[in-house]
Amino acid sequence: MMELREALRQISEIRACLSRGEVFRGYRSATVGFSAVVGMIAAALQPHWVAAPATNLGRYLAGWIAVAAVSVIVVGTELAWRSERNGPGRSRELTRLAVEQFSPCIIVGALLTLFIYRYAPQIGWMLPGLWALVFGLGVFASYRLMPRQVFWVGAYYIACGCGCLRFGQGENAFSPWLMFISFGGGQLLSASILYWTLERPDAG
């Protein structure tokens, strides 16, 4: 029994290593692009739903949390559908690995948002920059499963995060352009890379 368990463990480790060497094709340009459009529309509507985010941080956060939830639900639904359609095997293992690698950034981003809102709302203006930085780290965490061009998506988010922290202060705090450029632009870049490297008819 001990030898059988050890053999099964080694087989599982080998399969995990093989999965890490493959390109994950579960993310699709259409759903990622949809999240970009939702984010850009939300940024355009932000002045109408919350005119003064600095004094109404809860309403500001509610709007952007709704955008994040819609994006996660849409992308997650497609991942689950493709995983179920492909059945047990390498595709499902890659999906699980991709989720495991990216989900910590979502959890950390949610915790940052909660604790700043509850205990340090005076630094709420930093959230767009922190969100971009954390999201960029999530992209880098799952980078090895993706086409190598996805590296530039992570770099874009990191650069946007630094830019938001540098320029998103004072009268520019909570500017809709911060999220429009960082989240909307980042997701559009992601969708473009996914289509160009994985989905176009002559892609390799």
Side-chain angles (χ1 to χ4, degrees), residues 152-164:
W152 297 109
V153 176
Y156 178 89
Y157 274 108
I158 297 297
C160 284
C162 294
C164 288

Side-chain angles (χ1 to χ4, degrees), residues 131-204:
W131 289 336
L133 289 172
V134 171
F135 203 89
L137 291 177
V139 173
F140 281 127
S142 55
Y143 158 66
R144 295 189 181 280
L145 285 179
M146 308 297 292
R148 65 181 184 277
Q149 293 87 345
V150 170
F151 171 88
W152 297 109
V153 176
Y156 178 89
Y157 274 108
I158 297 297
C160 284
C162 294
C164 288
L165 292 174
R166 170 62 180 85
F167 300 106
Q169 306 180 42
E171 63 181 16
N172 294 322
F174 302 104
S175 169
W177 286 105
L178 300 177
M179 294 298 290
F180 187 97
I181 293 173
S182 60
F183 181 73
Q187 293 301 88
L188 273 184
L189 179 60
S190 300
S192 300
I193 289 175
L194 289 174
Y195 176 79
W196 186 257
T197 58
L198 301 178
E199 299 175 30
R200 63 189 172 95
D202 57 339

Side-chain angles (χ1 to χ4, degrees), residues 106-117:
I106 297 177
I107 296 170
V108 170
L111 290 173
L112 269 175
T113 303
L114 174 63
F115 278 83
I116 288 177
Y117 173 65

Side-chain angles (χ1 to χ4, degrees), residues 6 38 40 45 50 60 78 92 134 148 152-153 155 167-168 176:
E6 180 64 19
V38 171
M40 289 177 168
L45 295 177
V50 53
Y60 172 85
E78 174 147 14
R92 184 169 290 183
V134 171
R148 65 181 184 277
W152 297 109
V153 176
F167 300 106

Side-chain angles (χ1 to χ4, degrees), residues 29-137:
S29 62
T31 49
V32 174
F34 171 80
S35 68
V37 173
V38 171
M40 289 177 168
I41 292 174
L45 295 177
Q46 179 185 309
H48 300 285
W49 91 61
V50 53
T55 57
N56 197 352
L57 184 59
R59 188 173 177 85
Y60 172 85
L61 292 179
W64 284 110
I65 289 172
V67 170
V70 169
S71 299
V72 169
I73 289 170
V74 170
V75 174
T77 298
E78 174 147 14
L79 285 178
W81 176 76
R82 287 186 175 276
S83 178
E84 187 65 25
R85 187 186 68 172
N86 293 332
R90 299 286 285 281
S91 177
R92 184 169 290 183
E93 290 178 9
L94 282 173
T95 300
R96 178 186 57 78
L97 186 59
V99 171
E100 287 178 354
Q101 289 180 341
F102 195 79
S103 57
C105 91
I106 297 177
I107 296 170
V108 170
L111 290 173
L112 269 175
T113 303
L114 174 63
F115 278 83
I116 288 177
Y117 173 65
R118 290 291 301 274
Y119 304 112
Q122 68 276 10
I123 63 169
W125 64 270
M126 299 179 67
L127 282 170
L130 294 175
W131 289 336
L133 289 172
V134 171
F135 203 89
L137 291 177

